[in-house]
Amino acid sequence: MSETTRTRGWRGRRARIVSCLLTTALLAACAGNGPAGEDGDGAAGNGERPADTARTVDPGAPVSDEHIAQLDVGIPGKVTLVDPADNMEAGLNVNQLGLEPLLRIDPDGELQPWLATEWEQVSDTVYEYTLREGVTFWDGTELTAEDVKYSWDHLRAPESRRATYFAAVDTVEAVDAGTVRVTLTQPDASWQYTPAMWYSVIFQKKFAEETGDAFGQPGTLLVATGPWKFDSVNPASGMELSAYEGYWGGKPPIDRISVKSFADDNSMALALRAGEIDIAPVVSGPTGFDAAAGGNTVTTVETCGTARMSLPMRRAPWDDVHVRRAVAHAINRDDIVAAAQGAAAGPAVYAISPRLLQTLGTEEEVQTALEEIETYPYDLEAAEAELAQSSVPDGFDFDLTVPPSSAAIAEVIAAQLGEIGIDIAVEVLPDTAWYAALREDVRPLTFSATGACTPDPDWDSIFFDTDESGEPIGLNMAQYSSPEVSALWAEGLLEQDPAQRLRIYTDLQKQVAEDVPYISLFAEGTTYASTTYDIAEYNSYFWMNLPWALNLVPK
């Protein structure tokens, strides 16, 4: 059994998912570029909590066999549809209760079987997957390779919000009833993880074809293989699910799941306190939520996401590297971590999260590589010296534009930059207006988180995307264009040898550190809240990739 790969063309692969990724980041408040924190208060743990415990049961089996008649789940936002090619925001948190991928990623970044039992990299561009026998859809019909082909072709269609993840795919073939073959247009070392991610889930071809444009809509839904069937969706209130007794992993331990939509963390916390919900799998502000919910409710783990400040390099004075280096030295990450209200797992200093390098070498090899990369420790004297060399030695005024959830962190950043004569006015925009600002030709000075990720270091290329002409696109909010860096991102995907890839991403980060288009602030943390249940393996590369309610364990 060989390991798999994830698909993304290296140019322009994320232009369509700005809103999706950043919304997920804001809702999940994820984690990644620094050390794990202490236990308690939602900080990343030391491997002793259930959230840090890996699954040891068979694929499809629940971690606990405790019977639950009904589970009430709270989510921030609304479920508007269940089509995995188009659903956004809150729907991403519940789709996986019924939709499944071929593989799973364990907390060490290793691929494990799920709907597929075997996978093989046949050549640099060809991958084959052997489907598990005996898997049936909710109507009792058997899963076949044709369903996988149809699902992935649907997800990679030009109009799909997930098409960017399949950009390197040339063809998907059903070799026979139990074998799927994927051929890439060119080698892509990151493709191996795609069949294990939430954006590559499988559903029934027959139902999708029969329902046409109504597929995935609230009145139509879909048919899939997961442990819980989608019974109904009401965009105003939530979603109802029930156990699929023919599930290939055995009868699910939870009979019914009721998903309730909430406008914000506070209303969801009060519902938890009142016993109206049992668990909130996504909490954006752990400290405030825990206080409103009555205490001892939140658990936060480190992820591989990195919260960072993007410096708009095509706007003066940010086009001056000395200004950017001055700001980098003026940032006190410890204060920013404190302002994150429990959503941070520790300071971050690298362009690529160190956790995303762990599949490329030993801990010692990765650490040696990181030591080659320049960082900018908090040093006001060094900051003032850099600013003195710039085009604005006496300082300047500028707006820092953020969504409401980032306002507290923005105020801390503004105060820190004020220490060296940079007068920052914090401009708080509603979420929709902020997303729109990120798409403007002239980008704002802003701060954002990354959200979910895979174990491959290419994930962080989303902030460096350029088109064929070298023009910044997608989530390249710094509008940074470096032919050398773009070439290294491309080389990192084409190279198959892990040691060589580690060298490539080290050289890439050295150049980015010299240019300072972004300032990494903190490793993100992802949080759930409950007084009744824990979620085992919540510290996986993304907890939402699988039917996560199978991982519930009683407290």
Side-chain angles (χ1 to χ4, degrees), residues 133 147 163 171 187 193 209 245 254 365 384 459 472 515 523 552:
E133 295 181 0
D147 296 295
T171 60
Y193 300 107
E209 288 183 329
E245 296 194 4
I254 305 171
E365 289 168 340
E384 290 167 347
W459 177 265
D515 296 339
L552 285 189

Side-chain angles (χ1 to χ4, degrees), residues 498-510:
Q500 290 300 317
R501 295 190 77 207
L502 180 59
R503 167 47 48 198
I504 290 167
Y505 292 119
T506 301
D507 290 344
L508 186 156
Q509 291 196 84
K510 289 165 69 174

Side-chain angles (χ1 to χ4, degrees), residues 6 10 22 34 182 185 245 264 329 350 378 402 417 483 485 545 554:
R6 187 192 67 165
W10 71 278
L22 293 173
V182 174
T185 57
E245 296 194 4
D264 51 41
H329 274 304
Y350 300 106
Y378 175 57
V402 296
L417 298 188
V485 169
N545 285 331

